[in-house]
Amino acid sequence: MITFMNNSDSEEEPCNERTSLMSAESPPVPSYQDGLQASAAGEAQAHRKRRTGSSRGPNNIVDGETSDSDVPVRESTLENEEEEQILKYGAKHVIMLFVPVTLCMIVVVATIKSVRFYTEKNGQLIYTPFSEDTPSVGQRLLNSVLNTIIMISVIVVMTVFLVLLYKYRCYKFIHGWLILSSLMLLFMFTYIYLGEVLKTYNVAMDYPTLFLVIWNFGAVGMICIHWKGPLQLQQAYLIMISALMALVFIKYLPEWSAWVILGAISIYDLIAVLCPKGPLRMLVETAQERNEPIFPALIYSSAMVWTVGMAKPDAAARGGSQQTWDAAEDGRENHRSPSHADSQMSETRSPLPTRPITSLEELGEEERGVKLGLGDFIFYSVLVGKAAATASGDWNTTLACFVAILIGLCLTLLLLAVFKKALPALPISITFGLIFYFSTDNLVRPFMDTLAAHQLYI
Amino acid sequence: AFFWLVSLLLSSLIWFIAVKASDPQDEPLQKGLLIFGVMFSVLLQETFRFLYYKLLRKAIEGLVALSEDGCSPISIQQMAYVAGLGFGLMSGAFSMINLLADALGPGTVGIHGDSQLYFLTSAFMTMVLIFLHTFWGILFFHGCEHRRWWEITAVVAMHLAVSGSTFCNPLYVGSLVPSYLLMAAAAAWAYLLSGGSAQNLHRFLLCK
């Protein structure tokens, strides 16, 4: 979803129809979105998913564009320039998203291929109660479909709950929930992950060192994500968290259920974001009505935003709406940490004091980044990780899924540029990924293997 | 890269169907099917290259229409290069990556009487293919741009020749040498088409 945020409401008259979806004076947070989805994962606890959409804030044509004098004359040039800038920055934004998605996938694939722990079957989550160890194919299929139904309904319930919380402004609750979940994620999962990696490479580490390392990692992570921090560190933490979540999913979701869940979730994403009564769409609209950034948490943003010359204080930029949504069943849930990219960014990167709006001259360059929900990261990584784990030892399948997902992401961003509203990021990529996974595994692999055996090249 | 992947998918689909429909015990038939599969795949790859060209053409027109001064930010030659590179990289990755993964593990090359140079020759062959794909991309797009069909057929013929030459493996001299020669020829041709000349090269080498 791309929403364009204009910081100055005096110019950009011509952009009004495009900016009608978002409020004119919004804080540096361009909204976005694709399906919002929050997920909470717990070691053996409830998982909740949240999806967030990707958003793209195209560049606000603004560099150098000055006041709104002679607007009509400049309207057409403005629009042209705007479009060109959009395209240029659009391409840049696509690249800015490729890198983190690729990094996340690389981390997941590397872990899966090297650490045995994540491919061993050690039980299932309570959200997928039906086992897949059944003798007949039909039974297995039925079980996986039932698992999917349960999982998806949990997600729907959680999403609706979140929307209600947001509507009734229970910010503190959401805030607390979020902190709890990111705490669990940052400490517990990292501890387990580190333990497994050390076991795999047979490296000894004493408890004090371990404690020190994990404490530092977790503490810095909490600060970076929930408060302020350097942008790149924050992005790195978000990527790591998404990778950890994805690894948990890969480990605890049984095979067929995982694939069916991936498919079902992209359909759900589509419905939730695009239908008028969909929870995610309502969330987006509510946030827009209130001029608040929608869930700065749980969103990965690659933006670098300099907001200059705003008469209005950056009120909305404040993380009042730091919603994160936790599936606190027994308070033992982990949630994806929110990515408070925007709020932090506005704080760390507004070097200039606000100036009265009358002397509105140039707005500095506002380079809005792209936003992609962490749920999308997680599911992309789950797909690629599952491909790496379960394809018959084949790297081709993994590579094919990877390319398919990136192309899907590209297409989604393209659609975003065309439609300029919230779009789900999952469906296209996951569809491509699934098609390529199954076809590469079954069709291409024998072909390539035979070719390689004879050393033939095509 | 995506387009190459799709072409690979379709060609392996065809091959798979053919194999399943035929007798697995019949050796020459299987070999024949394999050859057929390879040739078909080559043709399909070139078709997809053409389709990709069409897509890029439309994209360039869109970019030109949007830009202020009537020229697009990226030229068709750059696109040709990138397209060729994408094809090449994907093809190379698919050829090599399983090999590399296996190379990390234990084992002896050629213990069953196969060639000991398997890894080396695979590496060289992959490299030459990647280069070739890049050059073919440039030649192909140039041919499409200027409507010179003979260039396009030359590219297709070269591709078929290179793939065909790999049938000589493990007689490596039969496959590597012609491929490298073809690569040199394609390189020179692509260089000339992209505006280079002997003079440029001369100046470049002498760092003027």
Side-chain angles (χ1 to χ4, degrees):
Chain A
M1 166 155 97
I2 293 187
T3 43
F4 229 52
M5 290 305 216
N6 272 340
N7 282 319
S8 78
D9 44 13
S10 48
E11 64 179 75
E12 315 305 356
E13 268 313 309
C15 310
N16 262 354
E17 65 282 357
R18 254 178 288 183
T19 57
S20 62
L21 281 176
M22 33 238 184
S23 57
E25 49 224 316
S26 272
V29 185
S31 343
Y32 38 27
Q33 352 325 235
D34 304 323
L36 284 193
Q37 180 198 62
S39 53
E43 241 314 354
Q45 335 300 18
H47 284 246
R48 211 181 295 177
K49 303 188 199 176
R50 232 186 309 201
R51 259 204 258 232
T52 29
S54 61
S55 65
R56 179 164 107 163
N59 194 10
N60 261 337
I61 324 132
V62 170
D63 20 358
E65 225 85 76
T66 60
S67 60
D68 47 347
S69 50
D70 62 294
V71 160
V73 172
R74 301 219 342 275
E75 247 183 62
S76 57
T77 39
L78 205 64
E79 290 213 11
N80 267 348
E81 262 176 38
E82 206 174 289
E83 301 229 13
E84 175 172 329
Q85 299 248 358
I86 290 173
L87 274 176
K88 257 197 239 162
Y89 286 105
K92 195 156 139 205
H93 290 171
V94 168
I95 304 294
M96 287 206 291
L97 268 192
F98 270 14
V99 173
V101 172
T102 311
L103 275 176
C104 194
M105 288 195 220
I106 287 178
V107 170
V108 171
V109 170
T111 311
I112 294 267
K113 287 282 186 191
S114 55
V115 179
R116 289 277 145 250
F117 173 73
Y118 287 104
T119 38
E120 292 158 5
K121 296 270 339 146
N122 270 348
Q124 293 179 210
L125 299 167
I126 64 171
Y127 287 156
T128 51
F130 294 96
S131 156
E132 282 195 5
D133 279 334
T134 53
S136 76
V137 171
Q139 182 73 3
R140 189 171 186 187
L141 196 61
L142 181 70
N143 279 353
S144 52
V145 170
L146 288 174
N147 278 340
T148 311
I149 292 178
I150 294 178
M151 186 72 121
I152 299 285
S153 37
V154 166
I155 292 173
V156 172
V157 162
M158 292 310 193
T159 315
V160 170
F161 186 46
L162 175 68
V163 173
L164 286 176
L165 279 180
Y166 188 63
K167 254 182 156 29
Y168 295 117
R169 301 179 191 261
C170 308
Y171 294 145
K172 285 247 185 303
F173 186 75
I174 296 179
H175 191 49
W177 216 2
L178 183 62
I179 289 197
L180 197 65
S181 87
S182 49
L183 257 175
M184 283 214 75
L185 204 64
L186 275 175
F187 286 102
M188 206 168 98
F189 281 173
T190 314
Y191 171 69
I192 293 171
Y193 178 76
L194 202 58
E196 292 304 323
V197 169
L198 290 175
K199 259 190 243 175
T200 306
Y201 289 108
N202 209 14
V203 173
M205 186 185 261
D206 51 313
Y207 274 117
T209 315
L210 186 72
F211 175 69
L212 200 66
V213 167
I214 293 204
W215 169 251
N216 281 325
F217 179 81
V220 175
M222 287 300 285
I223 293 176
C224 249
I225 292 170
H226 291 263
W227 196 43
K228 308 184 209 198
L231 180 65
Q232 292 188 320
L233 197 59
Q234 191 177 52
Q235 290 173 340
Y237 268 105
L238 291 173
I239 292 176
M240 281 189 268
I241 280 178
S242 311
L244 283 174
M245 269 299 256
L247 284 170
V248 168
F249 276 140
I250 293 173
K251 181 172 170 65
Y252 286 111
L253 285 181
E255 312 247 339
W256 289 19
S257 306
W259 298 113
V260 183
I261 285 178
L262 275 174
I265 245 176
S266 15
I267 298 177
Y268 165 69
D269 201 17
L270 202 62
I271 298 176
V273 174
L274 295 179
C275 283
K277 276 297 168 197
L280 299 176
R281 186 166 166 149
M282 282 184 5
L283 196 65
V284 168
E285 284 167 5
T286 317
Q288 278 173 345
E289 280 166 34
R290 295 183 195 170
N291 276 352
E292 278 165 2
I294 304 174
F295 289 154
L298 301 173
I299 296 194
Y300 175 96
S301 165
S302 49
M304 274 197 327
V305 176
W306 277 293
T307 61
V308 180
M310 283 174 58
K312 300 174 172 109
D314 269 352
R318 223 21 231 107
S321 45
Q322 285 180 7
Q323 284 110 11
T324 355
W325 188 63
D326 244 45
E329 310 287 48
D330 316 309
R332 282 181 298 160
E333 258 115 15
N334 292 339
H335 300 286
R336 287 203 326 257
S337 340
S339 60
H340 283 183
D342 314 275
S343 7
Q344 276 113 28
M345 259 163 350
S346 65
E347 308 232 346
T348 57
R349 293 180 191 280
S350 308
L352 302 178
T354 59
R355 288 186 252 145
I357 208 165
T358 46
S359 65
L360 179 100
E361 13 335 319
E362 38 195 88
L363 291 190
E365 172 153 343
E366 288 166 5
E367 190 157 337
R368 306 232 183 255
V370 196
K371 287 178 196 244
L372 184 64
L374 285 192
D376 298 323
F377 273 85
I378 291 179
F379 283 106
Y380 293 159
S381 307
V382 167
L383 197 145
V384 175
K386 267 276 187 236
T390 63
S392 353
D394 206 23
W395 283 86
N396 282 346
T397 319
T398 314
L399 198 58
C401 287
F402 170 71
V403 172
I405 288 182
L406 285 186
I407 294 286
L409 190 61
C410 239
L411 278 177
T412 310
L413 288 175
L414 201 71
L415 283 181
L416 202 56
V418 169
F419 287 117
K420 294 195 179 28
K421 49 182 261 207
L423 285 182
L426 282 183
I428 301 180
S429 289
I430 300 272
T431 316
F432 276 176
L434 287 175
I435 293 176
F436 271 81
Y437 170 74
F438 286 112
S439 49
T440 313
D441 200 28
N442 298 321
L443 297 175
V444 176
R445 198 178 37 86
F447 188 43
M448 290 306 286
D449 283 345
T450 326
L451 286 181
H454 292 104
Q455 222 176 1
L456 300 177
Y457 283 84
I458 55 167
Chain B
F2 183 65
F3 273 70
W4 187 87
L5 207 58
V6 177
S7 82
L8 179 66
L9 200 70
L10 289 176
S11 50
S12 45
L13 177 66
I14 305 283
W15 179 80
F16 191 74
I17 293 176
V19 165
K20 286 297 176 197
S22 66
D23 176 16
Q25 299 308 88
D26 194 353
E27 271 295 323
L29 179 63
Q30 293 296 319
K31 193 108 206 291
L33 275 183
L34 199 60
I35 296 180
F36 161 71
V38 169
M39 293 300 155
F40 187 72
S41 175
V42 168
L43 292 174
L44 213 57
Q45 278 178 43
E46 298 302 326
T47 315
F48 270 84
R49 210 197 289 269
F50 183 67
L51 289 175
Y52 192 54
Y53 165 75
K54 285 253 165 256
L55 184 70
L56 284 182
R57 206 76 198 79
K58 289 227 178 74
I60 280 203
E61 279 160 23
L63 282 177
V64 166
L66 284 176
S67 77
E68 280 196 325
D69 49 359
C71 56
S72 93
I74 179 170
S75 72
I76 189 80
Q77 283 99 341
Q78 285 171 316
M79 283 196 184
Y81 170 69
V82 172
L85 194 63
F87 263 57
L89 284 177
M90 229 16 213
S91 151
F94 261 66
S95 310
M96 271 312 272
I97 203 162
N98 279 330
L99 230 56
L100 288 173
D102 286 336
L104 280 179
T108 310
V109 185
I111 199 170
H112 287 291
D114 298 314
S115 161
Q116 289 174 338
L117 298 172
Y118 187 77
F119 282 152
L120 265 182
T121 47
S122 300
F124 278 115
M125 196 67 203
T126 311
M127 182 176 84
V128 82
L129 254 192
I130 295 179
F131 277 135
L132 274 173
H133 268 293
T134 316
F135 299 136
W136 285 335
I138 299 178
L139 295 172
F140 195 90
F141 277 42
H142 185 264
C144 287
E145 278 289 299
H146 299 262
R147 302 266 177 272
R148 293 198 197 149
W149 307 117
W150 63 275
E151 276 186 16
I152 299 177
T153 40
V155 169
V156 178
M158 266 198 274
H159 197 169
L160 282 171
V162 170
S163 284
S165 73
T166 59
F167 288 129
C168 297
N169 283 340
L171 185 65
Y172 295 122
V173 72
S175 69
L176 280 178
V177 172
S179 309
Y180 271 88
L181 290 175
L182 273 178
M183 183 190 88
W189 193 2
Y191 182 67
L192 289 173
L193 280 184
S194 313
S197 67
Q199 260 195 341
N200 278 350
L201 197 60
H202 191 69
R203 262 187 275 149
F204 167 72
L205 286 173
L206 296 180
C207 292
K208 285 211 190 114

